[in-house]
């Protein structure tokens, strides 16, 4: 499970770096059709960056949990943590898109 943890930590760092870059105003990392109706680019970037944070935290927590062992409960807990982070992030991104762009596309 150490290899899995290392992979999850690397993915977490990648999403964290992307989240911070978008939060600081680099909205070019978001596809142009997702921001076609956005007038407040700074607010949109900050909100979108915050919405990506659970996507970075989920794999990190999953990697930490997987270090506890290879028991079925631990594996399911690890996957559950990653899935929870993904779902929270997707809901937050949908809310941000609805608020700033009027919809997903």
């Amino acid at each position: 499970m150490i290899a899995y943890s290392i992979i999850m930590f690397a993915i977490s760092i990648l999403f964290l770096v992307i989240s911070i870059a978008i939060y600081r105003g680099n909205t070019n990392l978001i596809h142009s059709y997702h921001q076609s109706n956005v007038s407040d680019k700074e607010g949109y970037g900050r909100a979108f960056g915050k919405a990506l944070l659970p996507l970075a935290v989920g794999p990190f927590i999953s990697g930490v949990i997987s270090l506890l062992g290879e028991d079925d409960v631990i594996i399911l807990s690890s996957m559950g943590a990653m899935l929870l982070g993904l779902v929270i992030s997707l809901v937050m991104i949908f809310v941000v898109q609805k608020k700033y762009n009027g919809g997903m596309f």
Side-chain angles (χ1 to χ4, degrees), residues 23-63:
Y23 182 83
R24 290 185 176 172
N26 190 2
T27 56
N28 294 332
L29 295 173
I30 305 168
H31 200 282
S32 62
Y33 64 79
H34 286 301
Q35 46 183 327
S36 59
N37 299 325
V38 175
S39 58
D40 181 14
K41 295 276 189 181
E42 183 178 337
Y44 176 71
R46 288 187 182 274
F48 202 96
K50 287 178 189 176
L52 286 179
L53 283 178
L55 194 60
V57 172
F60 180 79
I61 293 173
S62 176

Side-chain angles (χ1 to χ4, degrees), residues 3 7 10 16 19 29 43 50 54 60 68 74 89:
I7 292 169
L16 183 64
S19 175
L29 295 173
K50 287 178 189 176
F60 180 79
L68 300 175
I74 293 173
S89 187

Side-chain angles (χ1 to χ4, degrees), residues 10-20 52-53 55-57 59:
I11 290 171
S12 182
I13 289 170
L14 175 68
F15 283 131
L16 183 64
V17 168
I18 291 170
S19 175
I20 291 170
L52 286 179
L53 283 178
L55 194 60
V57 172

Side-chain angles (χ1 to χ4, degrees), residues 58-72:
F60 180 79
I61 293 173
S62 176
V64 170
I65 292 172
S66 71
L67 288 174
L68 300 175
E70 295 184 19
D71 193 25
D72 289 342

Side-chain angles (χ1 to χ4, degrees), residues 55 82-92:
L55 194 60
M82 188 167 47
L83 183 63
L84 182 64
L86 175 67
V87 169
I88 291 171
S89 187
L90 288 176
V91 168
M92 290 175 69

